[in-house]
Amino acid sequence: MTDTMQGGTPNPDSNISFAAFVISLAHTAAIHFGDVPDPATGTPGQVNIAAAQQMIDILALLEQKTRGNLSAEERQLLDQILYELRLRYLDVSGGGAAKPDEPRIIIP
């Protein structure tokens, strides 16, 4: 089964939504921050700050390009995720003053 019907019309039964897409990008950033453990071993992943920054940049581009076209809930979700990822970037890159015992961002 595809996510679109014939003619490119979105399939209303598809589980894909704007929120799911944004969360998947945020989850990818969390992986690059080393916040998501390897599912096979349970050990923390390696930090790839450049890849995490790229995910933040993609989300920021998405925010710019969708401005004025999102519902209030979608806008709030995107703004909150960008805010949290930018804070996490500062923390990981040494630019923030986070405390060592602060919890890391966990994206479902």
Side-chain angles (χ1 to χ4, degrees):
M1 184 165 180
T2 62
D3 291 332
T4 58
M5 296 186 303
Q6 193 172 17
T9 306
N11 183 347
D13 296 329
S14 175
N15 290 330
I16 301 210
S17 67
F18 182 79
F21 177 60
V22 168
I23 290 170
S24 72
L25 293 174
H27 183 78
T28 301
I31 290 169
H32 293 309
F33 282 131
D35 293 342
V36 178
D38 182 305
T41 64
T43 60
Q46 289 188 320
V47 174
N48 183 339
I49 196 75
Q53 178 63 56
Q54 184 179 38
M55 288 295 102
I56 294 169
D57 292 344
I58 290 169
L59 284 161
L61 176 68
L62 189 62
E63 186 270 331
Q64 290 174 351
K65 296 295 184 179
T66 59
R67 191 170 288 146
N69 293 312
L70 300 177
S71 69
E73 294 82 15
E74 291 168 335
R75 163 74 46 214
Q76 184 179 12
L77 173 69
L78 186 53
D79 288 347
Q80 184 65 36
I81 284 177
L82 272 169
Y83 175 78
E84 290 180 17
L85 289 175
R86 286 171 173 154
L87 285 179
R88 184 69 180 126
Y89 178 85
L90 290 174
D91 182 35
V92 171
S93 67
K99 299 173 186 129
D101 59 346
E102 272 188 30
R104 296 191 285 184
I105 297 173
I106 303 298
I107 306 294

